Amino acid sequence: MSEELVNRCECVGRTFAQLKAYESFEQAQQATGCGAECEGCVPYLKLMFQTGETAFAIDDPRLP
Ligand code: FES
């Protein structure tokens, strides 16, 4: 099984690379609704705004 990277909010159909254009997680969520549906992407989105990276292993060790 190949390793899948988490690189988008599936619920709103936006990649982390697109969402990175916003200043913060809160602004991205206000503008697009990302992270407000299943919330599965929220820890990755927060890590994205901390690190500037736009793709993460599903079990990234930096996740809370
Ligand atoms: S994947 Fe982002 S809210 Fe569901």
Side-chain angles (χ1 to χ4, degrees):
M1 183 175 131
S2 68
E3 184 151 350
E4 297 259 340
L5 290 179
V6 180
N7 68 354
R8 61 195 295 117
C9 174
E10 298 288 348
C11 294
V12 300
R14 302 289 185 99
T15 64
F16 292 168
Q18 290 171 319
L19 294 168
K20 196 177 163 181
Y22 297 94
E23 299 251 313
S24 65
F25 169 71
E26 289 75 15
Q27 278 198 13
Q29 185 164 68
Q30 249 179 4
T32 68
C34 67
E37 294 189 35
C38 77
E39 300 182 8
C41 62
V42 170
Y44 300 95
L45 273 171
K46 290 187 171 167
L47 198 53
M48 190 265 288
F49 280 107
Q50 283 168 21
T51 65
E53 295 165 38
T54 54
F56 302 96
I58 200 154
D59 61 349
D60 189 297
R62 296 167 296 179
L63 292 167

Coordinates of all heavy atoms in Angstrom, one line a residue:
M1 N 0.9 -1.2 0.0 CA 0.0 0.0 0.0 C 0.9 1.2 0.0 O 1.8 1.4 0.8 CB -0.9 -0.1 1.3 CG -1.8 1.1 1.4 SD -2.9 0.8 2.8 CE -2.8 2.4 3.6
S2 N 0.6 2.1 -0.9 CA 1.5 3.3 -1.0 C 1.0 4.3 0.0 O -0.2 4.4 0.4 CB 1.4 3.9 -2.4 OG 0.1 4.5 -2.6
E3 N 1.9 5.1 0.5 CA 1.6 6.1 1.5 C 0.9 7.3 1.0 O 1.3 7.9 0.1 CB 2.9 6.6 2.2 CG 2.6 7.5 3.4 CD 3.7 7.4 4.5 OE1 4.5 6.5 4.4 OE2 3.6 8.2 5.3
E4 N -0.3 7.6 1.6 CA -1.1 8.7 1.1 C -0.7 9.9 1.9 O -0.5 9.9 3.1 CB -2.6 8.4 1.4 CG -3.1 7.3 0.7 CD -4.0 7.7 -0.5 OE1 -4.4 8.9 -0.5 OE2 -4.2 6.9 -1.4
L5 N -0.6 11.0 1.2 CA -0.3 12.3 1.9 C -1.6 13.1 2.1 O -2.5 13.0 1.2 CB 0.7 13.1 1.1 CG 2.1 12.6 1.1 CD1 3.0 13.5 0.3 CD2 2.7 12.4 2.5
V6 N -1.7 13.7 3.2 CA -2.9 14.6 3.5 C -2.5 16.0 3.0 O -1.5 16.6 3.5 CB -3.2 14.6 5.0 CG1 -4.4 15.5 5.2 CG2 -3.4 13.2 5.5
N7 N -3.2 16.4 1.9 CA -2.8 17.7 1.4 C -4.0 18.6 1.0 O -3.8 19.6 0.3 CB -1.9 17.5 0.1 CG -2.7 16.9 -1.0 OD1 -3.8 16.5 -0.9 ND2 -2.0 16.8 -2.2
R8 N -5.2 18.3 1.5 CA -6.3 19.1 1.2 C -7.4 18.9 2.2 O -7.5 17.9 2.9 CB -6.9 18.7 -0.2 CG -7.3 17.2 -0.3 CD -7.5 16.7 -1.7 NE -8.5 17.4 -2.4 CZ -8.3 18.2 -3.5 NH1 -7.1 18.3 -4.0 NH2 -9.3 18.8 -4.0
C9 N -8.3 19.9 2.2 CA -9.6 19.7 2.9 C -10.6 19.1 1.9 O -11.0 19.7 0.9 CB -10.1 21.0 3.4 SG -11.8 20.9 4.1
E10 N -10.9 17.8 2.1 CA -11.7 17.1 1.1 C -13.1 17.7 1.1 O -13.8 17.8 0.1 CB -11.9 15.6 1.5 CG -10.6 14.9 1.5 CD -10.0 14.6 0.1 OE1 -10.8 14.8 -0.9 OE2 -8.9 14.2 0.0
C11 N -13.6 18.2 2.3 CA -15.0 18.6 2.4 C -15.2 19.9 1.6 O -16.3 20.0 1.0 CB -15.4 18.9 3.9 SG -15.4 17.4 4.8
V12 N -14.3 20.8 1.5 CA -14.5 22.0 0.7 C -13.7 22.0 -0.6 O -13.8 22.9 -1.4 CB -14.3 23.3 1.5 CG1 -15.2 23.4 2.7 CG2 -12.8 23.5 1.9
G13 N -13.0 20.9 -0.8 CA -12.3 20.8 -2.1 C -11.2 21.8 -2.3 O -11.0 22.2 -3.5
R14 N -10.5 22.1 -1.3 CA -9.3 23.1 -1.4 C -8.1 22.4 -0.9 O -8.1 21.8 0.1 CB -9.5 24.3 -0.5 CG -10.8 25.1 -0.8 CD -10.7 25.8 -2.2 NE -11.9 26.7 -2.3 CZ -12.0 28.0 -2.0 NH1 -10.9 28.6 -1.7 NH2 -13.1 28.6 -2.2
T15 N -7.0 22.6 -1.7 CA -5.7 22.1 -1.2 C -5.1 22.9 -0.1 O -5.4 24.1 0.0 CB -4.7 22.0 -2.4 OG1 -4.4 23.3 -2.8 CG2 -5.3 21.2 -3.5
F16 N -4.2 22.3 0.6 CA -3.5 23.1 1.7 C -2.7 24.2 1.0 O -2.6 25.3 1.5 CB -2.6 22.2 2.5 CG -3.4 21.3 3.4 CD1 -2.7 20.2 4.0 CD2 -4.8 21.4 3.6 CE1 -3.4 19.3 4.9 CE2 -5.4 20.5 4.5 CZ -4.8 19.5 5.1
A17 N -2.2 23.9 -0.2 CA -1.4 25.0 -0.9 C -2.3 26.2 -1.2 O -1.9 27.3 -1.1 CB -0.9 24.4 -2.2
Q18 N -3.6 25.9 -1.6 CA -4.5 27.1 -1.8 C -4.9 27.8 -0.5 O -4.9 29.0 -0.4 CB -5.8 26.5 -2.4 CG -5.7 26.0 -3.9 CD -6.9 25.3 -4.4 OE1 -7.5 24.5 -3.7 NE2 -7.2 25.6 -5.6
L19 N -5.1 27.0 0.6 CA -5.5 27.6 1.8 C -4.4 28.4 2.5 O -4.7 29.2 3.3 CB -6.0 26.5 2.7 CG -7.3 25.8 2.2 CD1 -7.6 24.5 3.0 CD2 -8.5 26.7 2.3
K20 N -3.2 28.0 2.1 CA -2.0 28.7 2.7 C -2.0 30.2 2.4 O -1.4 31.0 3.0 CB -0.8 28.1 2.2 CG 0.5 28.4 2.9 CD 1.6 27.6 2.3 CE 3.0 28.1 2.7 NZ 4.1 27.4 2.1
A21 N -2.8 30.6 1.3 CA -2.9 32.0 0.9 C -3.5 32.9 2.0 O -3.3 34.1 2.0 CB -3.6 32.1 -0.4
Y22 N -4.3 32.2 2.9 CA -4.9 33.0 4.0 C -3.9 33.2 5.1 O -2.9 32.5 5.2 CB -6.2 32.3 4.5 CG -7.2 32.2 3.4 CD1 -7.3 31.1 2.6 CD2 -8.1 33.3 3.1 CE1 -8.2 31.0 1.5 CE2 -9.0 33.2 2.1 CZ -9.1 32.1 1.3 OH -10.0 32.1 0.3
E23 N -4.2 34.2 5.9 CA -3.2 34.6 7.0 C -3.2 33.6 8.1 O -2.2 33.4 8.8 CB -3.6 35.9 7.6 CG -3.7 37.1 6.6 CD -2.5 38.0 6.9 OE1 -2.3 38.4 8.0 OE2 -1.8 38.4 5.9
S24 N -4.3 32.9 8.4 CA -4.4 32.0 9.5 C -5.4 31.0 9.3 O -6.2 31.1 8.4 CB -4.8 32.8 10.8 OG -6.1 33.4 10.6
F25 N -5.4 30.0 10.1 CA -6.4 28.9 10.1 C -7.8 29.6 10.2 O -8.7 29.2 9.4 CB -6.2 27.9 11.2 CG -7.3 27.0 11.4 CD1 -7.6 26.0 10.5 CD2 -8.2 27.1 12.5 CE1 -8.7 25.1 10.7 CE2 -9.3 26.2 12.7 CZ -9.5 25.3 11.8
E26 N -8.0 30.5 11.1 CA -9.3 31.1 11.4 C -9.8 31.8 10.1 O -10.9 31.8 9.7 CB -9.2 32.1 12.5 CG -9.1 31.4 13.9 CD -7.7 30.8 14.2 OE1 -6.7 31.2 13.5 OE2 -7.6 30.0 15.1
Q27 N -8.9 32.6 9.5 CA -9.2 33.3 8.2 C -9.6 32.3 7.1 O -10.6 32.6 6.4 CB -8.1 34.2 7.8 CG -8.1 35.5 8.5 CD -7.3 36.6 7.8 OE1 -6.9 36.4 6.6 NE2 -7.0 37.7 8.5
A28 N -8.8 31.3 7.0 CA -9.1 30.3 5.9 C -10.4 29.7 6.2 O -11.2 29.5 5.2 CB -8.0 29.2 5.9
Q29 N -10.7 29.4 7.4 CA -12.0 28.7 7.7 C -13.2 29.7 7.5 O -14.2 29.3 6.9 CB -12.0 28.3 9.2 CG -13.3 27.5 9.6 CD -13.1 26.8 10.8 OE1 -13.1 27.3 11.9 NE2 -13.1 25.5 10.8
Q30 N -13.0 31.0 7.9 CA -14.1 31.9 7.6 C -14.3 32.1 6.1 O -15.5 32.2 5.7 CB -13.6 33.3 8.2 CG -14.5 33.7 9.4 CD -14.0 35.0 10.0 OE1 -13.2 35.7 9.4 NE2 -14.7 35.4 11.0
A31 N -13.3 32.1 5.3 CA -13.4 32.4 3.9 C -13.9 31.1 3.1 O -14.7 31.3 2.2 CB -12.1 32.8 3.3
T32 N -13.6 29.9 3.6 CA -13.8 28.8 2.7 C -14.7 27.7 3.4 O -15.2 26.8 2.7 CB -12.5 28.1 2.3 OG1 -11.9 27.5 3.4 CG2 -11.6 29.1 1.6
G33 N -14.8 27.8 4.7 CA -15.5 26.7 5.4 C -14.6 25.5 5.7 O -15.1 24.5 6.2
C34 N -13.3 25.6 5.3 CA -12.5 24.4 5.5 C -12.4 24.1 7.0 O -12.4 25.0 7.9 CB -11.1 24.7 5.0 SG -10.1 26.0 5.9
G35 N -12.3 22.8 7.3 CA -12.2 22.4 8.7 C -13.5 22.4 9.5 O -13.5 22.1 10.7
A36 N -14.6 22.8 8.9 CA -15.8 23.0 9.7 C -16.8 21.9 9.4 O -17.8 21.9 10.1 CB -16.5 24.3 9.3
E37 N -16.5 21.0 8.5 CA -17.4 19.9 8.3 C -17.0 18.6 9.0 O -17.4 18.4 10.2 CB -17.6 19.7 6.8 CG -18.2 21.0 6.2 CD -18.6 20.8 4.7 OE1 -19.1 19.7 4.4 OE2 -18.6 21.8 4.0
C38 N -16.2 17.8 8.5 CA -15.8 16.6 9.2 C -14.7 16.9 10.2 O -14.5 16.1 11.1 CB -15.3 15.5 8.3 SG -13.6 15.7 7.7
E39 N -14.0 18.0 10.0 CA -13.0 18.4 10.9 C -11.7 17.6 10.9 O -10.8 17.8 11.7 CB -13.5 18.6 12.4 CG -14.6 19.6 12.5 CD -15.1 19.9 13.9 OE1 -14.5 19.4 14.8 OE2 -16.1 20.6 14.0
G40 N -11.7 16.6 10.0 CA -10.6 15.7 9.9 C -9.3 16.4 9.5 O -8.2 16.0 9.9
C41 N -9.4 17.5 8.8 CA -8.2 18.2 8.3 C -7.7 19.2 9.3 O -6.6 19.8 9.1 CB -8.6 18.9 7.0 SG -9.9 20.1 7.2
V42 N -8.4 19.4 10.4 CA -8.1 20.6 11.2 C -6.6 20.5 11.8 O -5.9 21.4 11.7 CB -9.1 20.7 12.4 CG1 -8.6 21.7 13.4 CG2 -10.4 21.2 11.8
P43 N -6.2 19.3 12.4 CA -4.9 19.3 12.9 C -3.8 19.5 11.8 O -2.8 20.1 12.1 CB -4.8 17.9 13.5 CG -6.1 17.2 13.3 CD -7.0 18.1 12.6
Y44 N -4.1 19.0 10.6 CA -3.1 19.2 9.5 C -3.1 20.7 9.1 O -2.0 21.2 8.8 CB -3.5 18.3 8.3 CG -3.5 16.8 8.7 CD1 -4.7 16.2 9.1 CD2 -2.4 16.1 8.7 CE1 -4.7 14.9 9.4 CE2 -2.4 14.8 9.0 CZ -3.5 14.1 9.4 OH -3.5 12.8 9.7
L45 N -4.3 21.3 9.0 CA -4.3 22.7 8.7 C -3.5 23.6 9.7 O -2.8 24.5 9.3 CB -5.8 23.2 8.6 CG -6.5 23.0 7.3 CD1 -8.0 23.3 7.5 CD2 -5.9 23.9 6.2
K46 N -3.7 23.2 10.9 CA -3.0 24.0 11.9 C -1.5 23.8 11.8 O -0.7 24.8 11.9 CB -3.5 23.6 13.3 CG -4.9 24.1 13.6 CD -5.4 23.9 15.0 CE -6.7 24.6 15.2 NZ -7.4 24.2 16.4
L47 N -1.1 22.6 11.5 CA 0.3 22.3 11.3 C 0.8 23.0 10.0 O 2.0 23.5 10.0 CB 0.5 20.8 11.2 CG 1.9 20.1 11.4 CD1 2.5 20.5 12.7 CD2 1.8 18.6 11.3
M48 N 0.0 23.1 9.0 CA 0.4 23.8 7.8 C 0.7 25.3 8.1 O 1.7 25.8 7.7 CB -0.8 23.7 6.8 CG -0.5 24.1 5.4 SD -1.0 25.8 5.1 CE -2.7 25.7 5.0
F49 N -0.2 25.9 8.9 CA 0.0 27.3 9.2 C 1.3 27.5 10.2 O 1.9 28.5 10.1 CB -1.2 28.0 9.8 CG -2.2 28.3 8.7 CD1 -3.4 27.6 8.6 CD2 -1.9 29.4 7.9 CE1 -4.3 28.0 7.6 CE2 -2.8 29.8 6.9 CZ -4.0 29.0 6.7
Q50 N 1.6 26.5 10.9 CA 2.8 26.5 11.8 C 4.1 26.4 11.0 O 5.1 27.0 11.3 CB 2.8 25.4 12.9 CG 1.8 25.7 14.0 CD 1.6 24.5 14.9 OE1 2.4 23.6 14.9 NE2 0.5 24.5 15.7
T51 N 4.0 25.4 10.0 CA 5.3 25.0 9.4 C 5.4 25.5 8.0 O 6.5 25.5 7.4 CB 5.3 23.5 9.3 OG1 4.3 23.0 8.5 CG2 5.2 22.8 10.7
G52 N 4.3 25.9 7.3 CA 4.4 26.3 5.9 C 4.4 25.1 5.0 O 4.4 25.3 3.7
E53 N 4.4 23.9 5.5 CA 4.3 22.7 4.6 C 2.9 22.5 4.1 O 2.0 22.9 4.8 CB 4.8 21.5 5.4 CG 6.3 21.6 5.7 CD 6.7 20.6 6.8 OE1 6.2 19.4 6.7 OE2 7.5 20.9 7.7
T54 N 2.8 21.9 3.0 CA 1.4 21.7 2.4 C 1.0 20.3 2.2 O 0.0 20.0 1.6 CB 1.3 22.5 1.1 OG1 2.3 22.1 0.2 CG2 1.4 24.0 1.4
A55 N 1.8 19.3 2.7 CA 1.4 17.9 2.6 C 2.1 17.2 3.7 O 3.2 17.4 4.1 CB 1.9 17.3 1.3
F56 N 1.3 16.3 4.3 CA 1.7 15.6 5.6 C 1.4 14.1 5.5 O 0.4 13.7 5.0 CB 1.0 16.2 6.8 CG 1.2 17.7 6.9 CD1 0.2 18.6 6.4 CD2 2.3 18.2 7.5 CE1 0.4 20.0 6.5 CE2 2.5 19.6 7.6 CZ 1.6 20.4 7.1
A57 N 2.3 13.3 6.1 CA 1.9 11.9 6.3 C 0.7 11.9 7.2 O 0.6 12.7 8.1 CB 3.1 11.2 7.0
I58 N -0.1 10.9 7.0 CA -1.3 10.8 7.8 C -1.1 10.7 9.3 O -1.8 11.2 10.1 CB -2.2 9.7 7.2 CG1 -3.7 9.8 7.6 CG2 -1.7 8.3 7.6 CD1 -4.6 9.2 6.7
D59 N 0.1 10.1 9.6 CA 0.5 9.9 11.0 C 1.7 10.8 11.4 O 2.5 10.4 12.2 CB 0.7 8.5 11.3 CG 1.9 7.9 10.5 OD1 2.3 8.6 9.5 OD2 2.4 6.8 10.8
D60 N 1.7 12.0 10.8 CA 2.8 12.9 11.1 C 3.1 13.0 12.6 O 2.2 13.2 13.4 CB 2.5 14.3 10.6 CG 3.7 15.2 10.6 OD1 4.2 15.5 11.7 OD2 4.2 15.6 9.6
P61 N 4.3 12.8 13.1 CA 4.6 12.7 14.5 C 4.4 14.1 15.2 O 4.3 14.2 16.4 CB 6.1 12.3 14.6 CG 6.6 12.6 13.2 CD 5.5 12.4 12.3
R62 N 4.3 15.2 14.4 CA 4.1 16.5 15.0 C 2.6 16.8 15.4 O 2.3 17.8 16.0 CB 4.6 17.6 14.1 CG 6.1 17.5 13.9 CD 6.6 18.4 12.8 NE 6.0 17.9 11.5 CZ 6.2 18.5 10.3 NH1 6.9 19.6 10.2 NH2 5.6 18.0 9.2
L63 N 1.7 15.9 14.9 CA 0.3 16.1 15.2 C 0.1 15.9 16.7 O 0.7 15.1 17.3 CB -0.5 15.1 14.4 CG -0.6 15.3 12.9 CD1 -1.2 14.1 12.3 CD2 -1.3 16.6 12.6
P64 N -0.9 16.7 17.3 CA -1.1 16.6 18.7 C -1.7 15.2 19.1 O -2.3 14.5 18.2 CB -2.1 17.7 19.0 CG -2.7 18.1 17.7 CD -1.7 17.7 16.6
Ligands
FES1 S1 -11.6 17.4 5.3 FE1 -11.7 19.5 6.0 S2 -13.6 19.6 7.1 FE2 -13.6 17.6 6.3

